[in-house]
Amino acid sequence: MKIYDISMAVGAGMPVYNDLPEKKPVITVTRDRSVGEVFESRIAMDMHTGTHIDAPLHMLPDGSTMDGMDPARLIAPCSVLDLGHVAGGITAADLEAKSIREGKFVLLKTRNSETDEFEKDFVYLAASGAEYLRQIRVAGVGTDALGIERSQPGHDTHKILFRSGIIIIEGLRLKGVPEGEYTLAALPLKIEGAEAAPARAILIEE
Amino acid sequence: MKIYDISMAVGAGMPVYNDLPEKKPVITVTRDRSVGEVFESRIAMDMHTGTHIDAPLHMLPDGSTMDGMDPARLIAPCSVLDLGHVAGGITAADLEAKSIREGKFVLLKTRNSETDEFEKDFVYLAASGAEYLRQIRVAGVGTDALGIERSQPGHDTHKILFRSGIIIIEGLRLKGVPEGEYTLAALPLKIEGAEAAPARAILIEE
């Protein structure tokens, strides 16, 4: 069994959406060795920091929240798709070239995985690509961008996926992971009422 | 395949160590529907909030940190031990009564799992119990208390485990999980330089 860690490290130097300073995580030491043997710290972070899972509430006013997401859906057969040739939006045509099967998680490996910086022109999932995945009935979709779309007007990609019950994982790191079949384990924090949650994600190759 | 979610929900009403207000998580809405379609929030939380994994730096000045912990060690064969009859510290004698095998994760299910409040006299792992687990060479130990020990002088339980490379998971919820054999998946956030990290943990029953 080989494990790929496909999670982004969380720290002050990590990329965040649009490089906005207020989106950076802040780690504070709350107890150090000057008062005893115990070292403790605290973190403040956006729910959308690094590798994270979105819940429908993120874009749908009556959408469900993270604590309602069954973790059984997040241990799943998964296909990593190499889309390194795509610039801009991943379309239905790009995905038709792959053999995607119903019920699978699909992870979109793009040129985003080649950089550790936030790139304003990151590769995203176009609405036609989301619509294609809805028709195939995938279980979920993961991206190596911090957003599954680039704040497209109307947020169609998010909405198509959320309304179809397709789980969205953002901020994956897929460099070095070959195209192929895996078991995904992507476990988010169980945060009450939240529209998203930071997660740790790995791929298991049997 | 049956999945047990053994994680604590994270929210304002959750129990925290010694009920200290400064240890409570704080969730803040950063963007709501008054300015558009997108809802976003942020969380501030101790690394030791709810279900979490400790790294050796928590108690050892030269100890390793969370981002150095291989996630392959956190997908592991696991024994849930029913210790519901124990009050106070779980000793070597309590553990000798179980058939614990080398290389396994062991999860200590106690009366702690019966309450959602912080109890000052929670059941913990006594130093003799930690020493016994070190001799058996378990891979890790999980507890349904917020601490593997109750701030014992010298913190022997933590130190015995950390110095032996035994992983410590705290804040599990084991109510309703029968004693027996499972696969554990316990994935912490990959926080750079941290002495602990919040995690989501599940048990898989094949």
Side-chain angles (χ1 to χ4, degrees):
Chain A
M1 175 172 107
K2 179 173 178 177
I3 302 259
Y4 291 91
D5 187 356
I6 56 171
S7 314
M8 201 178 292
V10 174
M14 73 187 302
V16 296
Y17 203 89
N18 277 339
D19 282 332
L20 293 169
E22 67 267 27
K23 288 190 177 290
K24 293 270 185 185
V26 178
I27 296 172
T28 314
V29 174
T30 51
R31 193 171 172 193
D32 67 15
R33 317 277 180 212
S34 69
V35 293
E37 288 194 295
V38 180
F39 185 91
E40 288 180 337
S41 62
R42 193 168 169 91
I43 189 166
M45 63 193 304
D46 271 31
M47 301 299 186
H48 305 261
T49 299
T51 306
H52 67 279
I53 300 180
D54 281 350
L57 181 69
H58 180 39
M59 291 288 177
L60 306 179
D62 57 352
S64 60
T65 58
M66 282 311 300
D67 44 333
M69 193 178 290
D70 183 353
R73 299 178 62 200
L74 297 162
I75 308 289
C78 172
S79 304
V80 173
L81 310 180
D82 190 339
L83 295 157
H85 58 288
V86 177
I90 298 165
T91 63
D94 294 321
L95 295 171
E96 280 165 7
K98 306 287 178 180
S99 303
I100 302 173
R101 290 207 304 278
E102 179 178 343
K104 283 241 175 182
F105 246 93
V106 292
L107 304 190
L108 311 173
K109 181 187 176 186
T110 76
R111 57 180 63 169
N112 300 330
S113 281
E114 297 298 319
T115 176
D116 292 325
E117 307 290 321
F118 178 77
E119 307 276 359
K120 281 200 182 298
D121 62 346
F122 66 80
V123 180
Y124 64 100
L125 180 63
S128 78
E131 179 59 28
Y132 180 76
L133 293 178
R134 184 191 70 75
Q135 288 169 17
I136 298 278
R137 300 165 65 93
V138 300
V141 55
T143 172
D144 55 7
L146 282 171
I148 189 89
E149 65 190 314
R150 281 197 222 138
S151 301
Q152 262 62 38
H155 306 287
D156 286 341
T157 294
H158 273 97
K159 288 181 187 170
I160 291 165
L161 298 172
F162 283 145
R163 288 181 178 142
S164 313
I166 295 171
I167 292 172
I168 302 173
I169 309 179
E170 297 175 331
L172 294 170
R173 301 278 70 200
L174 296 170
K175 188 174 180 178
V177 181
E179 183 168 72
E181 303 306 307
Y182 302 87
T183 298
L184 171 73
L187 296 182
L189 299 187
K190 186 179 182 175
I191 303 179
E192 286 176 346
E195 86 291 351
R200 184 69 172 271
I202 63 170
L203 289 174
I204 303 165
E205 188 177 55
E206 314 276 353
Chain B
M1 176 171 106
K2 178 171 179 179
I3 302 259
Y4 291 90
D5 187 357
I6 55 170
S7 314
M8 202 178 292
V10 175
M14 73 188 300
V16 296
Y17 203 90
N18 277 339
D19 283 331
L20 294 168
E22 66 268 28
K23 289 191 177 288
K24 292 268 184 186
V26 178
I27 295 172
T28 314
V29 175
T30 52
R31 193 172 172 192
D32 68 15
R33 317 277 181 212
S34 69
V35 293
E37 289 194 295
V38 180
F39 184 92
E40 288 179 337
S41 61
R42 193 168 169 90
I43 189 167
M45 64 195 301
D46 271 31
M47 301 299 185
H48 305 262
T49 299
T51 306
H52 67 279
I53 301 181
D54 281 350
L57 182 67
H58 180 39
M59 291 287 176
L60 306 178
D62 57 352
S64 60
T65 58
M66 283 310 300
D67 44 332
M69 192 178 288
D70 183 354
R73 299 177 63 200
L74 296 162
I75 309 290
C78 172
S79 304
V80 172
L81 310 180
D82 189 338
L83 295 156
H85 58 288
V86 177
I90 298 165
T91 63
D94 294 320
L95 295 170
E96 278 165 9
K98 306 288 179 180
S99 302
I100 303 173
R101 290 206 306 278
E102 179 177 342
K104 285 242 176 180
F105 245 95
V106 291
L107 304 190
L108 311 173
K109 181 186 175 187
T110 76
R111 58 179 64 170
N112 299 330
S113 281
E114 297 298 317
T115 175
D116 292 325
E117 306 290 320
F118 178 79
E119 307 277 356
K120 283 199 182 298
D121 61 346
F122 64 81
V123 180
Y124 64 99
L125 180 62
S128 78
E131 179 58 29
Y132 180 76
L133 293 177
R134 183 191 72 73
Q135 288 169 16
I136 298 277
R137 298 166 65 94
V138 299
V141 56
T143 171
D144 55 7
L146 282 170
I148 189 87
E149 64 190 313
R150 280 196 224 142
S151 301
Q152 261 62 37
H155 306 286
D156 286 341
T157 294
H158 274 96
K159 289 180 186 172
I160 290 165
L161 299 172
F162 283 144
R163 289 183 177 140
S164 314
I166 295 170
I167 293 172
I168 301 173
I169 309 179
E170 296 175 332
L172 295 170
R173 300 278 74 200
L174 296 170
K175 188 174 180 177
V177 181
E179 183 168 73
E181 303 305 308
Y182 302 87
T183 297
L184 170 73
L187 295 182
L189 299 186
K190 186 180 182 174
I191 304 179
E192 288 176 345
E195 86 290 352
R200 184 69 171 271
I202 63 170
L203 289 174
I204 303 165
E205 187 176 56
E206 313 276 355

